[in-house]
Amino acid sequence: MKTVFIGIAGGTGSGKSTFTKRLKEYFGDNLTVIYHDNYYRRRDDIDFEHRKLINYDHPDSLETSLLIEHIKQLKNGHEVEGPLYDFTQHNRSDKTVLIKPCKVIIVEGILVLHETQLSELFDYKIYLDADADERILRRAARDIKMRGRELPDIIAQYLSTVKPMHNLFVEPTKSVADIIINSALNEAAFDIVKTKIESIIVSNQD
Ligand code: UZR
Ligand code: MG
């Protein structure tokens, strides 16, 4: 079985995880999702107050070499123990997640198209676009509800790192994407991606 890899990038709050979750719900066991977010580095060397201040929108905060290694192992038909990240602690959790080779694997994250060594492993590269105002609104709502944050911290983090790093490292990767989707709410675009994945699964019978 050949695994087809699809990279889905886009700014924070662009709807990557929601878009991907819908595909996962539709395709079930034929599709696996790997979150680049789970590859944020383990930082046991510093305490929570200092971990809070790290620039998590810079490519160096992610252990992308480990993700590349895992994708290569999956391409060779091996299972991998993927890391899991705990956003409430700003640190890697002690739990891991078993990732098995699968017909289609989506690799999702703000910076999945940033490093060539990673992006060249994808058969299809998608960039999910969204206006910055919509993204920050979604992000604020999500971070308060799911990641244990408070609005003043979200605003400070957005202005100091999220926004400038987005402009430096995320937005430019649009140019390497095969497909740019203008909104996670674009149903026609969702349908086109879904149809493509369907055809990959059908033609990829063992
Ligand atoms: P998505 N992030 C944190 O806020 N804390 C962490 O410990 C690790 C990551 C944020 C990161 C980035 N940036 O914007 C976002 N900051 O998670 C990526 N600052 O996740 O694409 O789901 O928004
Ligand atoms: Mg997400």
Side-chain angles (χ1 to χ4, degrees):
M1 180 184 68
K2 177 183 184 287
T3 300
V4 172
F5 281 87
I6 303 174
I8 302 189
T12 185
S14 58
K16 300 180 297 296
S17 304
T18 312
F19 190 87
T20 303
K21 192 165 157 249
R22 284 182 68 192
L23 292 169
K24 171 66 189 160
E25 279 165 5
Y26 187 81
F27 291 108
D29 290 343
N30 283 317
L31 186 143
T32 292
V33 183
I34 300 179
Y35 297 94
H36 200 186
D37 279 357
N38 279 329
Y39 290 77
Y40 275 112
R41 291 181 193 280
R42 179 180 285 288
R43 294 303 303 266
D44 294 331
D45 53 320
I46 49 174
D47 63 19
F48 178 79
E49 287 310 314
H50 287 94
R51 286 200 300 271
K52 241 171 83 170
L53 303 175
I54 291 175
N55 178 353
Y56 292 103
D57 291 270
H58 193 284
D60 290 351
S61 62
L62 289 147
E63 197 180 351
T64 301
S65 56
L66 181 64
L67 174 59
I68 291 170
E69 173 63 30
H70 283 175
I71 293 175
K72 288 182 175 168
Q73 291 197 21
L74 287 159
K75 278 186 189 267
N76 287 328
H78 304 298
E79 301 181 348
V80 297
E81 264 326 312
L84 265 183
Y85 192 75
D86 182 351
F87 277 92
T88 63
Q89 296 305 314
H90 293 283
N91 206 358
R92 208 173 272 180
S93 128
D94 290 327
K95 299 195 188 98
T96 56
V97 56
L98 182 68
I99 309 167
K100 295 181 179 176
C102 187
K103 287 186 179 171
V104 176
I105 296 186
I106 291 179
V107 183
E108 182 254 276
I110 54 175
L111 289 163
V112 297
L113 299 183
H114 173 70
E115 277 177 44
T116 314
Q117 283 159 308
L118 176 60
S119 70
E120 70 187 10
L121 298 174
F122 303 143
D123 300 278
Y124 300 96
K125 300 186 271 291
I126 298 177
Y127 187 96
L128 198 49
D129 211 0
D131 291 339
D133 55 352
E134 290 180 23
R135 291 192 296 98
I136 180 59
L137 287 172
R138 284 203 204 108
R139 173 163 176 145
R142 189 265 322 264
D143 281 5
I144 290 168
K145 195 169 162 212
M146 316 282 289
R147 294 185 181 173
R149 307 288 169 74
E150 286 177 10
L151 191 58
D153 283 343
I154 295 169
I155 294 171
Q157 196 188 35
Y158 185 79
L159 294 175
S160 64
T161 61
V162 181
K163 182 178 174 177
M165 296 301 114
H166 174 86
N167 292 339
L168 260 182
F169 298 115
V170 184
E171 180 87 13
T173 67
K174 234 189 235 186
S175 64
V176 303
D178 302 306
I179 302 153
I180 299 168
I181 296 177
N182 63 354
S183 159
L185 304 174
N186 183 334
E187 283 304 311
F190 179 81
D191 202 46
I192 290 168
V193 174
K194 193 177 87 179
T195 306
K196 180 66 202 171
I197 294 175
E198 225 149 26
S199 80
I200 293 168
I201 290 170
V202 171
S203 64
N204 199 351
Q205 305 290 0
D206 320 340

